[in-house]
Amino acid sequence: MAPTPGVARHRALLRNFLRRELSVRYLGSYTGLAWALLHPLALLAVYYFVFTMVFRAGGYQGKSFLLFVAVALWPWLAAQEALQRATVSLASYAGLIRKVAFPHEIVIYASVSATLLLQFAGYLIVLVALAAFGEPVRFAGLLIAVPLWLVMALAVTGLALALAALQVYIRDIEHILMPTLMILMYLTPILYPIALVPDELRPWVVANPFAWLVDRMRDALLEGRIAFAWGDLAALAVAAAIFAGGRWVFLRLSPQFEDLI
Amino acid sequence: MTTLLTLSGVGKDYAKIDTNGGRLRLVWELLRGHAASNVFRALDGIGFEMQRGASLGVIGENGAGKSTLLKIIAGVVKPTRGSVTVNGRVGALLELGSGFHPEYTGLANIDLAAALLGLGPDEIDAKREEIIAFADLGEHIRDPIKHYSSGMVVRLGFAVATALRPDVLITDEVLAVGDESFQKKCVAWMEGYLEQGGTLLLCSHSMYHIQRLCRSALWLDHGRAHMYDSADLVAREYLAWHEQRSSKARQAALSAAGALDYQVRRVSLRACGSGPEVDPAAGFDVDAAVFSPDGRPPVLALGVVRADGTAVYGSTSEIDGAAPCGREDGSFVFRVRFQDLPLLPGHYRLRAHAMDPEGLRLFDTHEVPFVVAGTTRELGHVRLPRAWQPAAGDAAPDAVRCRVDTAGH
């Protein structure tokens, strides 16, 4: 409403919120940021124990099963955490939303960015750790993997906008989200290769956009295939559509936040 | 003079949600771009203009829509109807600790507030010292806000909102929280701000602050503009209305308590002079009947208040040692004459209260308005007897010792 330069105004706010998101997550915990780095390594050690030592899962296409899972699992965990945190993020800004005029979507952007930034750092740590243990990680694949993370971030932000806005009106969203994401994880070829899915079910599994993302990520980081594909543009278009749809829902619902939050 | 703020036909509906199904329906309506169907009308048809340098007080009961109106002007709430135009930067201080994060220290919250106003950390640097000095929190500025008392939060909030010199300052009931010296500091700051051409929108239940800081006032009642005039006039009307309403409520509560209490059955006031208005010298007669449930003679309390509720005088039949005359229907009749009234001309009300025979408990209240005739330029409620003494010669030292004797005569 006030004639202030829009972009500059919101950039300072986004920076402040992002810092707040990052610090609040580790504020008051003694291990602090070190935990953010230890957590992915601890998780990797557990997966090593389960898949390599207990299940003795054999290699897949000449790669160890651990590497095969890790490359796909981290982006999924990142998306899952980002959605869960962002869905409930507006509540912790209730004081601001009720009293101060600012674009509410910045809360979602800050929450999603904070989660994805930390998770991406963890992803890099896991890749380096795997390489250090002699796994054949193709680091050149990051040329594709990083843009893929950005495409994923765009889609996740769109979903987060819609979910967070709905959560203000319908408190059940938060509770439905957790089991839904759990089910979706097993329906996505993360812990198994798509080739093992029975033929008649495979089209359904492939229709999942995240299945495409996982596949593309593995191609890049395991096989080192970094050539551009038209599918990448389609993925970007899908992500942009999800973002636009989610933002539309958010903007429709956000004028009443002040009353209901 | 430029128009800083224009509101026309502004209204706000809040969705009423009583069931979970209602929440789903609301989401569906909003997504389709419709207005919510089941609504509570918080504000309707509000329109006014504010010039640069104006000061407007917003008053009204709790729930009259004051906060909603200020939130709409601050941009926190989008109006359902009408339009709001603001040509300048709005600084809003809406209720306690608006815009503060409880986990953050005072310093970090200053940065957050600046970011919300669109200032970068470098721009706030220059202002930071000024804010810290005004808030005057000492070492507490480094503590998280959650350890602050409500008064400390308001100090910081006021310091932040004012350091940025907004074109329009909106404050909602913040003066009620700070301690005496901070209130004085705030009022002094606002007066200086107004002198320098600042524009103020103040919401307060304190008519003192409204009259002191605002030139005009808007009285909201159930979301509508009830009165919009000079601050003095609106404040006076508002106080009188409140006084009337609370005495009515008191009476209703008392009569609901049952018929077995002491009750004022009848009060009448008759001016002794000619005409309906009371001539102060002639006075008036009061005739009252008080019902007693147990047959013992009750006590009648009589009081005179100004139209705005200010007490002028009161006494009881017990203090005066007057006995009533009992009647067969269980009521007791009192007759009193008030004479040689020192009351200044104006509107008054006579209050009659029924009390128990011990004169301890007050049961019932009746009021009768009356007007004291005449005009005067004197101030106050009553006329005190006085005599101006002749100055004792030309010598100044004696004149200093000279006292005005107002007693006696």
Side-chain angles (χ1 to χ4, degrees), chain B residues 106 132-141 148 151-153 155-156:
Chain B
I132 293 170
F134 194 95
D136 192 20
L137 295 169
E139 276 307 298
H140 293 298
I141 197 82
Y148 283 25
M152 286 159 73
V153 174
R155 287 157 81 129
L156 186 61

Side-chain angles (χ1 to χ4, degrees), chain B residues 68-348:
Chain B
T68 307
L69 177 63
L70 295 194
K71 277 178 168 184
I72 285 176
I73 296 167
V76 180
V77 173
K78 242 174 87 178
T80 314
R81 291 173 296 279
S83 68
V84 181
T85 327
V86 187
N87 301 312
R89 181 155 71 185
V90 179
L93 201 51
L94 302 170
E95 299 165 51
L96 255 185
S98 47
F100 287 154
H101 190 288
E103 294 276 349
Y104 278 21
T105 66
L107 286 173
N109 269 302
I110 294 176
D111 290 346
L112 171 65
L116 282 166
L117 283 166
L119 301 178
D122 39 318
E123 286 169 281
I124 194 72
D125 277 343
K127 296 280 182 190
R128 197 177 280 117
E129 288 307 312
E130 192 186 321
I131 294 173
I132 293 170
F134 194 95
D136 192 20
L137 295 169
E139 276 307 298
H140 293 298
I141 197 82
R142 297 181 196 288
D143 293 340
I145 296 269
K146 62 178 173 183
H147 298 312
Y148 283 25
S149 70
S150 51
M152 286 159 73
V153 174
V154 159
R155 287 157 81 129
L156 186 61
F158 194 82
V160 170
T162 55
L164 303 162
R165 294 265 158 190
D167 297 315
V168 191
L169 178 66
I170 299 177
T171 68
D172 188 357
E173 222 29 273
V174 287
L175 291 172
V177 187
D179 60 28
E180 195 68 28
S181 67
F182 189 76
Q183 274 195 19
K184 276 192 189 139
K185 202 161 142 186
C186 289
V187 170
W189 189 93
M190 286 194 212
E191 281 174 343
Y193 168 79
L194 287 171
E195 270 168 30
Q196 289 163 35
T199 310
L200 179 71
L201 243 157
L202 175 74
C203 170
S204 180
H205 287 291
S206 154
M207 291 308 121
Y208 167 74
H209 286 138
I210 294 281
Q211 281 171 290
R212 173 138 182 211
L213 291 167
C214 303
R215 240 171 289 160
S216 49
L218 172 68
W219 174 359
L220 289 180
D221 185 38
H222 292 97
R224 294 185 151 275
H226 181 78
M227 188 178 178
Y228 179 50
D229 213 311
S230 83
D232 286 329
L233 196 60
V234 177
R236 205 161 54 227
E237 287 286 318
Y238 182 70
L239 283 178
W241 176 82
H242 251 286
E243 181 55 38
Q244 241 171 35
R245 205 183 59 133
S246 58
S247 68
K248 256 184 219 153
R250 220 164 30 229
Q251 211 171 311
L254 284 168
S255 59
L260 282 176
D261 284 333
Y262 299 90
Q263 280 176 10
V264 177
R265 281 275 164 86
R266 163 173 60 80
V267 190
S268 62
L269 184 148
R270 199 173 51 78
C272 295
S274 56
E277 297 192 344
V278 173
D279 171 47
F284 55 82
D285 282 329
V286 176
D287 182 16
V290 178
F291 171 77
S292 166
D294 52 12
R296 296 187 300 150
V299 168
L300 174 71
L302 287 176
V304 171
V305 298
R306 297 267 300 197
D308 65 1
T310 316
V312 177
Y313 180 76
S315 184
T316 70
S317 59
E318 188 257 345
I319 293 174
D320 293 350
C325 163
R327 293 246 293 263
E328 280 177 12
D329 61 354
S331 66
F332 290 77
V333 174
F334 295 84
R335 287 212 174 81
V336 202
R337 168 164 293 180
F338 285 82
Q339 237 175 340
D340 292 327
L341 304 171
L343 294 175
L344 293 184
H347 290 251
Y348 295 86

Side-chain angles (χ1 to χ4, degrees), chain A residues 44 94 135 199 210 217:
Chain A
L44 186 66
E135 299 285 355
D199 284 344
F210 212 88
M217 204 79 97

